[in-house]
Amino acid sequence: MKPSDIQAVRHTFDLKGTWKFCLETDLANGARPPISDESIWGTIQVPGSWEEQGYGNEPDYLRMDTWTKIREYEGAAWYSTIVDLPVSETDCEYVLRVEGVRWTTDLWVNGHHAGQRDSLLVAQEWDITSLIHSGGQNRLELRVDNTMKLPLAGSHIHSIHTATAWGGITGGAYLDRLPSSRIKQLYIQPDAENGIVTIRYDVSASESTISSTCQLHVDIRHPDGSWLPRQSRTLASMSLPNEDQQFKGSYGTEQWDLDLGQEKDIALWSDKSPRLYQVVVSLQDEGRELDQVERTFGMRSFRANGKKLELNSVPVFLRGYVDCCIFPLTGYPVWDKQHYVQQFRTAKSYGFNHVRLHGWSAPRPFWEAADEEGMLIQAELPHWSRWFENRDAKAPAEIMLFLTRELKGVLHSLHTHPSFVMFSLGNELIGPNGHPELNDLVELARSLDPTRLYTDNTGFGQLPAQGRNADFYIQSLNWHPPLESELSAVPDTTLDYHDVTRLTNNPVVGHEHAQFTMYVRPQEREKYTGVLRPSWLESIEESIARRGLADDVEDFQHASGIHLMRSLKEAMERVRRTPDAAGIQLLDIRDFPGQGHATTGVLDVFWESKGIVEPAAFKQFNESIVLLLGSRQRTYYAGEPVHIEASISHYGEKPIADASIHWKLIRNNIIEDEGEWTHGDIGCGSVVSLGRLTIHAPKHGAAAFVIEAEIRSGHSELVADNVWHGWSFPHYYPHDRSHRIWNCMGELQPFLLDGHHRQVDHLDGKDLISQGQMDLVIISSLTPNVLDYLMNGGSVWLQVKPDELYEAVDTKYLPVFWNYLMFATQSGATMGMNLQEKIPLLGRFPHDQASDWHWYHLVNGTPAICLDSLHGVRPSIEVIDHFHRAKRLAYAFEARVGRGKLLVSSLPFANVSMMKRPEAAFLFQEMVAYLLGDQFDPVETISAAELLGIVKLQTIQFTL
């Protein structure tokens, strides 16, 4: 079947192009523009924003926590155009449709006010049939006002941190000419399980204008391109019109169930196979085509089944990210389908199949692209408000009225899109126990469209749920009690998030998961070629330059990027180890420049790679099937057994037949051990244990090793693979010159067998130097006699305590959460370590210039030493501070003081329990060897005053 040309009856006049335009501030009277005064009018292109076309003022207030536009205007503006309509051969109705407008729009047609519209999520429409002149010129005037009309400024559709307070008609303007006898409503509801598509329709027609033989025809094109047999019914079989019905001359809403499986197998739509049907519904009377409507739809089901989400009756794991309505070139959501196609293809190349729209619903081209590319989308009402935190207080009536209209509008406009599977009433809205008005909206949504899943809000509320109405819950796996953000990723790869998911019998999706960051990337400045400028970057670059860190930025980016990915991999795999988790929503796949500059993305804000991970490596832990290796620790003694639980998170579309697991232990790119075992068939939709692997850590020396594992089907087809890092260290042995160490720290006695153990007040530097029996003094406090010894040529290792540093900086292993400006009180606001390729101080301690899990216990909670006042002194073990504060930090540094040599460190070697860990004991051993060897020869010199400026001097009690 070939659709016919129906331009004569249903036609859209595209009003894109040049319109007359003026800001309302240019008018003497804001009520109506003086049409006769041509001097006030400029021109503007529709679609487009005011700012990008030169309207507005250059801002004089540059924000350091978000970006700044090159021009800004908040207020009303006027659009005017003349539409020359041809004479219509039949009675027609006219609807003006404006897309991509924020926020309220008033329309005048030929001098008559047609009303105001205010939707942020769907097209704003006016029926202007009574005001239009067919066969003549028609003057259209639009007053668009982008000021906040309701206290809902937190929504990402227009917050200053995201899409900004944009203005204009960004999606286009259209005049739809509709036949009076037409298909007035058309609602398509697929039933994939039964192979039926239900069409609900309302035909607007009167008995006087059509005959009793008037028919509806439905033609459906299969995704393979072939047309199914036409199905028809006569209008006479429908209800007769009456005056009580919603539409005058309407036959009322009818339902028609069409069986799609009679001729061909049902083609299901999924994230893996996004196959779309096309339906053409036409109204014909005695050979005349009165109307025709075309739609696309997908045959798919999406439901909650216990704690699982099921797509087409197969469990699906949502591998999602949050889209915060960030458009760095336009400052508003773009209306370019290819933009979204490329966006989804990029996201899917990293394994994602799900997008959460944070406080908004995207433009029509977004949904078309999502349908075609196979993305599972959660939309939200346009607010992030405080009106629903107190369940005993009602929200203002005008808020509820607006949100209810938006809910109805978005459900109606998106009902044919198979990619639209979930809906939330907003972001982080409620207190612990929900809100009755949100519960009512959930019930309303279900009644309007039962084929989607609904929740009362995204992110807030407590589980077990009390007073909440939801099909699924989106809860933080970072911090929902009993969990803590600081422990969202740890070296133990057996942990999961069952402590949260066990609190409900509904599906749980991880809210804004992980949020680890890396160093700022000033090189992205040149990409800002649109209306937004990265004004937040100016203060950061100034700070970096004045701190003397400009030459280190590239190294900081590299090391912190690796650290971000290692932290993120563990946090995401921890979700995949959770048997009853339904998915995650990562914040974010891109950086979030507009909110304190959160550098959480694997991509920059322009959807381009930051070079920190390749898609194939990312998909190892972010695909429908993920192979998992679990061990309670990452560090071992040399030759020690390593016990690993292998498991698989299998959310593929079909079982794995005859599965086999293959593994290799690799050290220095050499395979030292390998093996395999068979498991049998593996079903879909769960986390399955594959068995226990016991190997032995490398037997000789200190080693970083990797275990590469893969699972195959039938010993040939690769299903999934993954990589796990481990380290092994020889048992501690004392240095053969330990007898030449004066040790003032009792905690270190077990590790300095022949060391001279005395309290610091017994240290007489003159005797030590004159006798020449000691090569190193180890202390935990700087005292006058130690300083005297150092100045006269002694070698000192100061293992400083946190309270004895003037400017100790808290650190934790994990990077900064989200960003420092929004979470300034978070513990340990640093971004990992930046290590030189060869560091003599570390000896044979393995490292690859960035943080990895064998450092976790050594540095998590360890204070860093601030070196800002020690000009020229480089850290031996460098800590990367967050880029807003930009301090020069270290866990260890060395310098000459007077004629002596000094190492200052803050690593927790005085913790006896810590020293029982293989990595801690070995690192201590290597540092002792370095300090007793010839390599300990600091280049930089500091004065006693500079030393006393960072380390507190402690007094000694003398007995007279």
Side-chain angles (χ1 to χ4, degrees):
M1 180 266 180
K2 180 179 179 181
S4 62
D5 183 3
I6 59 163
Q7 295 302 310
V9 287
R10 184 183 283 256
H11 180 69
T12 295
F13 299 93
D14 191 340
L15 305 184
K16 295 177 183 176
T18 303
W19 288 53
K20 290 184 177 181
F21 179 81
C22 67
L23 302 179
E24 192 164 83
T25 53
D26 297 331
L27 304 178
N29 183 341
R32 288 292 316 277
I35 300 302
S36 59
D37 186 0
E38 293 293 332
S39 64
I40 67 164
W41 292 102
T43 60
I44 198 168
Q45 294 298 308
V46 173
S49 74
W50 305 335
E51 302 93 335
E52 64 188 345
Q53 299 190 62
Y55 291 96
N57 299 316
E58 182 178 346
D60 56 6
Y61 188 85
L62 301 181
R63 299 180 181 274
M64 67 171 294
D65 68 331
T66 188
W67 37 33
T68 303
K69 285 186 175 180
I70 57 176
R71 282 173 294 276
E72 295 178 346
Y73 176 75
E74 292 191 56
W78 287 87
Y79 290 76
S80 177
T81 193
I82 299 296
V83 179
D84 195 357
L85 294 178
V87 176
S88 176
E89 296 179 359
T90 60
D91 292 336
C92 293
E93 298 179 11
Y94 292 87
V95 174
L96 181 70
R97 174 165 46 97
V98 179
E99 296 183 324
V101 180
R102 173 188 172 272
W103 186 346
T104 58
T105 309
D106 284 87
L107 170 65
W108 275 262
V109 180
N110 296 320
H112 300 282
H113 187 229
Q116 185 182 90
R117 303 292 183 267
D118 66 352
S119 177
L120 292 172
L121 301 186
V122 299
Q124 299 181 1
E125 297 182 350
W126 295 259
D127 185 336
I128 60 173
T129 305
S130 62
L131 304 176
I132 209 79
H133 303 317
S134 176
Q137 291 190 336
N138 294 267
R139 187 173 72 249
L140 303 181
E141 296 163 305
L142 290 167
R143 182 181 185 270
V144 178
D145 189 344
N146 74 341
T147 56
M148 294 299 299
K149 293 299 182 291
L150 293 171
L152 298 173
S155 169
H156 280 357
I157 191 67
H158 52 205
S159 81
I160 61 173
H161 296 116
T162 51
T164 76
W166 53 274
I169 303 174
T170 63
Y174 307 89
L175 182 60
D176 296 324
R177 186 182 65 193
L178 308 171
S180 58
S181 295
R182 70 179 186 276
I183 304 160
K184 196 155 190 175
Q185 301 287 332
L186 181 64
Y187 193 91
I188 300 171
Q189 183 174 313
D191 180 355
E193 294 180 1
N194 295 306
I196 294 172
V197 59
T198 297
I199 297 178
R200 295 202 300 272
Y201 57 89
D202 181 11
V203 173
S204 173
S206 64
E207 292 180 286
S208 61
T209 59
I210 61 176
S211 72
S212 60
T213 61
C214 183
Q215 287 187 314
L216 274 179
H217 303 291
V218 177
D219 296 282
I220 297 177
R221 185 170 64 180
H222 193 275
D224 66 9
S226 63
W227 290 90
L228 303 181
R230 168 175 281 189
Q231 301 191 52
S232 305
R233 62 165 44 178
T234 61
L235 203 61
S237 65
M238 299 168 56
S239 303
L240 293 176
N242 62 71
E243 295 300 323
D244 293 332
Q245 290 171 332
Q246 181 180 2
F247 303 105
K248 186 177 180 180
S250 168
Y251 274 74
T253 301
E254 293 284 331
Q255 180 170 310
W256 193 355
D257 294 334
L258 303 173
D259 189 345
L260 300 188
Q262 292 181 337
E263 298 291 330
K264 285 177 173 275
D265 291 338
I266 302 300
L268 296 178
W269 183 98
S270 72
D271 56 328
K272 295 285 189 181
S273 300
R275 292 176 285 189
L276 295 171
Y277 285 82
Q278 179 187 1
V279 59
V280 180
V281 181
S282 56
L283 177 65
Q284 295 184 9
D285 182 33
E286 297 180 343
R288 293 181 300 129
E289 187 161 53
L290 304 178
D291 192 21
Q292 180 175 291
V293 178
E294 297 183 15
R295 297 284 189 272
T296 59
F297 66 92
M299 293 295 290
R300 67 107 183 95
S301 64
F302 190 82
R303 66 185 180 187
N305 184 3
K307 294 189 177 186
K308 301 293 184 183
L309 294 171
E310 291 184 347
L311 177 63
N312 301 325
S313 301
V314 177
V316 62
F317 190 90
L318 298 182
R319 308 180 304 277
Y321 61 92
V322 182
D323 188 319
C324 294
C325 199
I326 299 172
F327 296 87
L329 296 180
T330 61
Y332 62 81
V334 302
W335 289 72
D336 177 6
K337 179 180 173 181
Q338 193 56 41
H339 170 89
Y340 296 112
V341 167
Q342 187 57 49
Q343 167 181 318
F344 295 143
R345 289 178 180 175
T346 298
K348 295 193 84 168
S349 74
Y350 286 86
F352 291 96
N353 68 347
H354 169 53
V355 183
R356 172 210 164 191
L357 300 175
H358 186 305
W360 70 301
S361 181
R364 174 170 35 84
F366 172 98
W367 294 102
E368 294 171 353
D371 289 346
E372 294 176 11
E373 297 301 318
M375 294 297 282
L376 305 170
I377 310 296
Q378 172 188 318
E380 291 182 2
L381 286 179
H383 70 127
W384 180 5
S385 65
R386 309 290 295 273
W387 298 113
F388 302 96
E389 290 182 347
N390 182 356
R391 65 177 286 106
D392 297 323
K394 289 187 175 182
E398 63 272 20
I399 296 290
M400 288 303 299
L401 180 62
F402 172 75
L403 294 178
T404 302
R405 285 201 310 267
E406 290 287 73
L407 174 64
K408 293 178 178 179
V410 74
L411 293 183
H412 182 267
S413 67
L414 298 181
H415 80 272
T416 60
H417 292 286
S419 58
F420 174 42
V421 295
M422 302 160 68
F423 193 80
S424 169
L425 299 183
N427 179 71
E428 297 177 353
L429 300 178
I430 62 175
N433 298 320
H435 195 282
E437 289 181 304
L438 295 180
N439 293 338
D440 290 343
L441 287 179
V442 169
E443 282 300 322
L444 173 62
R446 289 188 185 127
S447 70
L448 294 172
D449 186 350
T451 67
R452 271 83 190 186
L453 299 183
Y454 302 95
T455 193
D456 58 352
N457 91 119
T458 302
F460 276 10
Q462 291 287 310
L463 299 178
Q466 304 292 320
R468 299 180 62 186
N469 189 356
D471 299 319
F472 64 99
Y473 296 106
I474 304 175
Q475 303 293 151
S476 174
L477 301 179
N478 296 324
W479 51 257
H480 189 289
L483 305 180
E484 302 177 14
S485 294
E486 287 78 6
L487 302 176
S488 58
V490 296
D492 186 343
T493 61
T494 67
L495 299 178
D496 60 23
Y497 292 108
H498 183 63
D499 282 347
V500 175
T501 57
R502 68 193 291 240
L503 299 175
T504 179
N505 292 321
N506 293 61
V508 174
V509 178
H511 173 55
E512 297 183 355
H513 194 56
Q515 302 185 47
F516 304 128
T517 57
M518 63 173 286
Y519 212 69
V520 68
R521 289 165 47 86
Q523 63 264 41
E524 292 171 11
R525 176 193 293 274
E526 63 184 22
K527 295 185 179 183
Y528 286 86
T529 58
V531 300
L532 295 176
R533 293 291 178 267
S535 52
W536 43 266
L537 189 54
E538 295 180 15
S539 62
I540 294 171
E541 288 187 295
E542 178 187 14
S543 299
I544 290 173
R546 292 177 67 87
R547 294 287 198 184
L549 300 176
D551 292 339
D552 299 283
V553 168
E554 187 174 340
D555 289 341
F556 288 175
Q557 290 171 352
H558 176 75
S560 63
I562 293 173
H563 185 35
L564 181 158
M565 285 310 310
R566 288 171 174 167
S567 303
L568 184 58
K569 181 178 190 290
E570 170 52 27
M572 294 178 71
E573 288 186 354
R574 185 170 175 178
V575 185
R576 297 306 293 264
R577 292 193 293 266
T578 308
D580 48 5
I584 56 171
Q585 294 171 346
L586 194 67
L587 190 62
D588 185 3
I589 190 175
R590 295 187 296 162
D591 286 348
F592 195 130
Q595 203 176 78
H597 194 39
T599 51
T600 58
V602 300
L603 307 174
D604 67 21
V605 71
F606 299 91
W607 289 95
E608 296 179 32
S609 172
K610 297 197 293 187
I612 63 175
V613 66
E614 291 299 319
F618 198 92
K619 289 176 73 172
Q620 287 182 327
F621 53 90
N622 191 48
E623 249 295 358
S624 57
I625 302 175
V626 174
L627 180 62
L628 301 162
L629 300 177
S631 179
R632 294 190 178 279
Q633 57 197 30
R634 298 289 191 109
T635 58
Y636 303 87
Y637 287 110
E640 185 178 12
V642 179
H643 304 294
I644 297 174
E645 291 286 343
S647 60
I648 187 170
S649 174
H650 180 17
Y651 288 88
E653 293 183 315
K654 60 182 180 179
I656 302 172
D658 191 20
S660 60
I661 297 89
H662 306 247
W663 62 270
K664 300 175 184 177
L665 187 149
I666 302 173
R667 175 185 181 183
N668 295 330
N669 297 318
I670 298 174
I671 299 174
E672 294 197 350
D673 199 1
E674 60 183 317
E676 66 177 277
W677 73 92
T678 59
H679 180 80
D681 297 344
I682 301 174
C684 304
S686 61
V687 179
V688 177
S689 175
L690 301 176
R692 193 176 193 186
L693 167 65
T694 299
I695 60 177
H696 287 83
K699 297 180 180 180
H700 304 290
F705 62 89
V706 298
I707 297 174
E708 294 183 355
E710 60 186 29
I711 185 167
R712 294 184 176 273
S713 176
H715 296 271
S716 58
E717 179 188 354
L718 179 64
V719 176
D721 60 354
N722 210 337
V723 176
W724 184 84
H725 289 195
W727 295 263
S728 62
F729 302 90
H731 280 281
Y732 178 84
Y733 65 89
H735 197 279
D736 57 9
R737 291 170 57 195
S738 292
H739 62 283
R740 299 188 65 81
I741 297 175
W742 176 295
N743 172 40
C744 301
M745 299 176 63
E747 300 89 346
L748 295 179
Q749 288 188 36
F751 302 93
L752 299 172
L753 177 63
D754 297 321
H756 187 74
H757 302 294
R758 298 292 298 276
Q759 294 181 352
V760 68
D761 57 322
H762 294 165
L763 187 149
D764 186 327
K766 182 176 181 181
D767 287 347
L768 291 183
I769 291 175
S770 63
Q771 294 172 8
Q773 296 178 349
M774 296 295 158
D775 295 331
L776 179 65
V777 168
I778 300 177
I779 57 171
S780 61
S781 297
L782 183 63
T783 56
N785 58 331
V786 173
L787 181 61
D788 184 64
Y789 169 69
L790 177 63
M791 296 291 291
N792 281 278
S795 292
V796 174
W797 183 4
L798 172 56
Q799 296 187 31
V800 66
K801 302 175 182 177
D803 58 357
E804 295 184 7
L805 286 168
Y806 277 112
E807 199 173 353
V809 175
D810 292 336
T811 77
K812 64 175 182 288
Y813 175 82
L814 294 178
V816 171
F817 174 84
W818 192 232
N819 68 77
Y820 178 76
L821 291 187
M822 289 192 68
F823 295 94
T825 59
Q826 65 178 284
S827 62
T830 52
M831 311 186 93
M833 293 183 290
N834 174 50
L835 304 175
Q836 300 302 308
E837 185 176 0
K838 295 186 180 298
I839 303 176
L841 174 65
L842 301 185
R844 295 167 296 162
F845 189 85
H847 70 87
D848 63 357
Q849 300 179 256
S851 296
D852 212 336
W853 292 107
H854 64 313
W855 285 100
Y856 181 88
H857 295 287
L858 286 163
V859 304
N860 193 47
T862 298
I865 308 161
C866 180
L867 304 185
D868 286 347
S869 62
L870 301 184
H871 302 294
V873 173
R874 298 285 302 189
S876 300
I877 305 175
E878 184 165 24
V879 184
I880 305 172
D881 195 16
H882 67 81
F883 43 77
H884 288 289
R885 185 170 56 193
K887 290 180 175 294
R888 176 75 77 181
L889 301 178
Y891 290 130
F893 77 93
E894 61 184 53
R896 291 191 175 275
V897 184
R899 297 197 302 272
K901 298 182 292 183
L902 172 69
L903 174 70
V904 182
S905 72
S906 58
L907 296 172
F909 296 130
N911 183 328
V912 176
S913 296
M914 178 68 66
M915 291 294 283
K916 304 305 180 183
R917 303 193 63 83
E919 69 272 24
F922 183 79
L923 180 58
F924 176 79
Q925 168 189 303
E926 294 300 286
M927 292 175 69
V928 168
Y930 169 75
L931 293 171
L932 292 175
D934 296 336
Q935 286 186 293
F936 183 35
D937 187 21
V939 175
E940 301 298 333
T941 298
I942 63 174
S943 67
E946 288 175 307
L947 175 60
L948 296 178
I950 62 170
V951 179
K952 298 176 183 177
L953 188 67
Q954 304 297 322
T955 59
I956 299 179
Q957 298 295 324
F958 292 98
T959 301
L960 301 178

